[in-house]
Amino acid sequence: MTDIRTLLTLGLMALTLGAAQAASYTWNERETDTTEAGRWQWRPFKGESINLAVIIDHGATLGQGGLIGYASQKPTSGGSYVGIRLNAAGAYEVVLDTGTGATTAATDIAARAGKTDVLTLSLRSTSGSSSSGPHIYDIVLGINGVTVATFEQATFDPLLYDTAWLQLGNGLDAYAGTGFTADVLYANDDNQPPVYTTDTGALYEDICDEVGIEPVPEPTALALIALGAAGLALRRRVA
């Protein structure tokens, strides 16, 4: 039986001081101005990694449901997944199901009606193949350049298979909203430099530069005022 050790830490949401250097990834566009949920099948096996970004222009009225995720290929009745959703109060939440049941953690970051938010998911496979496990991943989730969750050596059953947008994966918890659009970008191991990163601020700036939007708020500027603001750092180790 898998031994699961979980550490949930509440603390300050601090960002790295100083100017962040752009990662200069090669971004590939999966969907542009989409209002429908979608998925793209890409299995990250041992040593492979990917960055996924959902750039959502919220309408005047916020919706509710999954926005960015990575999921197993099981049907809608179950499966494992990790990602970010928007709750009924308009706040972003981190969701995780490694195959033993879903957990949710609030981020204290509110979606901005009529504004653009950038959600990111950086994932690296550290163990597992198409035919054998265990399937273990390092995962970092971010919102507008702020890291909201880090999962180190998280074991999933079965393996993660689908990138997903406007849902948690495979039709789970589809986003219900009106007057919004979303652009979907990805960079995988075919790109240089290596893709997986824990520097969410630099990744965010790189995406903003790629699509031509102004970082709001700018991660380096936010760092100066975030030192006294309460936030959430979610770190989970699954052995």
Side-chain angles (χ1 to χ4, degrees):
M1 187 175 194
T2 302
D3 176 37
I4 299 177
R5 293 170 295 173
T6 305
L7 176 64
L8 178 62
T9 303
L10 293 176
L12 295 180
M13 191 175 297
L15 301 174
T16 302
L17 293 174
Q21 298 298 316
S24 299
Y25 294 104
T26 300
W27 292 98
N28 301 281
E29 199 162 53
R30 295 303 304 180
E31 298 287 341
T32 303
D33 293 336
T34 181
T35 57
E36 296 182 0
R39 40 193 277 249
W40 171 53
Q41 295 182 343
W42 188 77
R43 296 184 183 126
F45 297 147
K46 183 178 179 179
E48 296 178 330
S49 59
I50 192 170
N51 280 322
L52 178 68
V54 173
I55 305 158
I56 181 166
D57 295 309
H58 288 292
T61 302
L62 297 173
Q64 181 180 354
L67 288 168
I68 186 173
Y70 226 105
S72 71
Q73 55 182 321
K74 279 190 174 182
T76 55
S77 58
S80 54
Y81 53 88
V82 61
I84 298 173
R85 70 184 302 277
L86 194 62
N87 65 23
Y92 290 109
E93 299 176 331
V94 172
V95 291
L96 175 72
D97 188 341
T98 60
T100 58
T103 59
T104 303
T107 68
D108 290 336
I109 297 179
R112 304 174 305 144
K115 302 292 184 179
T116 301
D117 285 338
V118 178
L119 312 180
T120 56
L121 185 156
S122 192
L123 178 146
R124 173 177 60 194
S125 174
T126 64
S127 179
S129 65
S130 59
S131 59
S132 63
H135 306 291
I136 303 175
Y137 309 89
D138 293 332
I139 304 167
V140 178
L141 297 172
I143 302 173
N144 293 337
V146 175
T147 297
V148 294
T150 300
F151 301 97
E152 295 179 342
Q153 297 294 284
T155 301
F156 285 77
D157 181 25
L159 80 165
L160 297 182
Y161 186 89
D162 291 341
T163 59
W165 52 92
L166 304 183
Q167 61 182 353
L168 294 182
N170 294 354
L172 295 170
D173 195 19
Y175 183 72
T178 57
F180 74 93
T181 59
D183 293 336
V184 182
L185 304 176
Y186 78 96
N188 60 22
D189 277 331
D190 293 333
N191 305 147
Q192 293 296 326
V195 172
Y196 179 77
T197 180
T198 60
D199 192 343
T200 306
L203 184 65
Y204 172 59
E205 289 188 340
D206 198 76
I207 293 167
C208 289
D209 183 66
E210 172 71 19
V211 299
I213 61 176
E214 189 71 21
V216 181
E218 211 170 78
T220 53
L222 180 62
L224 299 176
I225 61 174
L227 297 178
L232 175 90
L234 178 63
R235 188 174 298 271
R236 180 177 183 132
R237 178 176 292 276
V238 183

